Amino acid sequence: STPTSLPASASVSGAALLAGVVPALSLATPINGGFQFTITNLDPDATYVIEVADATVSRSGAIVTVTGLVTGGSAEALVTVQKAGYTTVSATRTGSALVEGVAPTFGPVTSTADGFTVEITNYDSSALYSLSIGDEFLTLAAPAVTRAGSLLTITGLSPAASATVTVTAQAPSALPASSDVTGTALAAGVTPEWEAPEPMIGGFRVVVTNFDPEERYVLSVTAGTALMVGDTIYVTGLADGELAELTMTAQRDGYADRSVTVTGAALGMPVAPEWDAPEPMSGGFRVVIQNFDPDARYILSVTRGTALMVGDTIYVMGLADGEVAELTMTLLLFIAGLAGLI
């Protein structure tokens, strides 16, 4: 037979989808009630679909945030990338919410003169700690709160004043946890008061005028030894005229220590008075002291008549013609402004 039409043909070309780029996801960072991660190769021309079961998810730029988890709960996020001309690809990232934090615990509080110290007994060197003082100091000069390792130190309190410190600890991957500790500064102690030191042979003694038998008195001296008997302190073992510094610290439970220092001296080696031969006068005689010391006091006594000292000269008066009298002189020497009988 004869064909009635010519044959017809057509052609078309096509291409398979290009391979999509799998999203690169950073490690998850825990947050309160969820976690975050970053799409590190974000493509602004692609569409991202992010799915998480039983949680809420959002994206801001490259940062993906998952919320709605219980404390310490975990979830898996599925990130799907869609782009025209490319295959759809996806990746997953599992993350966890912050776990419950551990509140600080404290040891015994130790009061100091202007505050207190206390140890954090469950101290975690990997945690971050923040310190704050109670609001009772909002209108006052607040004390200072510092931390050195596990030791908290509070300073700047008035005597017997109290303060509450809030300590917040946040360990890695955990929520912040806080607890309070309250302490009180020591009450003001009583500073010892005493009379002027009284020189003695080989030392000196001091009387504490506000002596309190409830106090503990701690003594130290720069020379010799110190002993307290009742309200009197005896410093012994000094050389003639030797000075020593005596420090007394009054201690009492619940009160700040109070210290005071005084300097005393042992009696010096006496120098016997030397005088000229007595010179007779009408009704008596007179004597000139050759080694007169203007810083010393001279005590006179006579067996007859009366004695009077003017400068370096002693006058004995009231004697009958030719009458003999015996004159005795006692030297009262001053040492460091303190008098003692030699």
Side-chain angles (χ1 to χ4, degrees):
S1 64
T2 301
T4 58
S5 61
L6 294 174
S9 63
S11 64
V12 65
S13 62
L17 293 171
L18 297 174
V21 179
V22 177
L25 310 177
S26 71
L27 294 176
T29 300
I31 60 174
N32 188 10
F35 58 90
Q36 290 181 325
F37 61 89
T38 301
I39 303 172
T40 59
N41 61 345
L42 183 75
D43 183 350
D45 297 324
T47 298
Y48 289 84
V49 179
I50 306 173
E51 300 172 287
V52 181
D54 300 323
T56 301
V57 63
S58 62
R59 182 175 66 86
S60 176
I63 299 176
V64 178
T65 302
V66 177
T67 58
L69 300 181
V70 298
T71 300
S74 62
E76 182 181 79
L78 173 65
V79 181
T80 301
V81 184
Q82 300 171 346
K83 186 176 181 179
Y86 291 82
T87 59
T88 298
V89 290
S90 61
T92 59
R93 172 58 63 216
T94 300
S96 300
L98 292 172
V99 300
E100 194 71 42
V102 178
T105 57
F106 305 102
V109 173
T110 301
S111 297
T112 62
D114 66 343
F116 57 93
T117 61
V118 64
E119 290 275 355
I120 302 172
T121 53
N122 61 343
Y123 175 72
D124 181 355
S125 60
S126 67
L128 297 176
Y129 287 87
S130 61
L131 313 173
S132 62
I133 201 71
D135 58 10
E136 67 267 29
F137 294 98
L138 289 179
T139 59
L140 302 172
V145 186
T146 58
R147 180 182 64 84
S150 62
L151 179 66
L152 300 180
T153 300
I154 291 79
T155 57
L157 287 178
S158 301
S162 298
T164 298
V165 177
T166 299
V167 182
T168 301
Q170 185 169 13
S173 300
L175 290 168
S178 301
S179 54
D180 294 340
V181 60
T182 299
T184 303
L186 293 169
V190 177
T191 302
E193 298 176 359
W194 42 33
E195 297 174 352
E198 179 184 350
M200 304 185 305
I201 296 174
F204 59 92
R205 66 182 177 185
V206 178
V207 176
V208 181
T209 57
N210 61 344
F211 173 76
D212 185 347
E214 298 298 322
E215 298 274 359
R216 296 185 301 275
Y217 294 96
V218 179
L219 309 177
S220 65
V221 283
T222 55
T225 58
L227 173 66
M228 190 166 192
V229 180
D231 63 355
T232 304
I233 302 169
Y234 296 89
V235 176
T236 58
L238 302 183
D240 293 334
E242 184 180 9
L243 295 171
E245 189 175 83
L246 167 66
T247 299
M248 171 189 288
T249 301
Q251 299 178 337
R252 189 172 184 176
D253 293 341
Y255 292 80
D257 292 354
R258 287 291 184 269
S259 298
V260 68
T261 299
V262 67
T263 299
L267 288 171
M269 177 63 70
V271 178
E274 299 177 0
W275 42 36
D276 295 337
E279 180 184 346
M281 302 186 308
S282 177
F285 60 90
R286 67 179 179 184
V287 177
V288 176
I289 303 173
Q290 296 176 348
N291 59 347
F292 174 74
D293 184 352
D295 293 324
R297 287 175 54 196
Y298 296 84
I299 299 174
L300 311 175
S301 65
V302 286
T303 54
R304 294 180 179 81
T306 58
L308 173 66
M309 189 168 189
V310 179
D312 62 354
T313 303
I314 303 170
Y315 297 89
V316 177
M317 301 169 291
L319 302 182
D321 293 341
E323 188 176 10
V324 176
E326 185 178 90
L327 169 64
T328 300
M329 177 186 300
T330 302
L331 184 63
L332 187 63
L333 183 64
F334 283 74
I335 301 177
L338 308 173
L341 185 65
I342 294 179

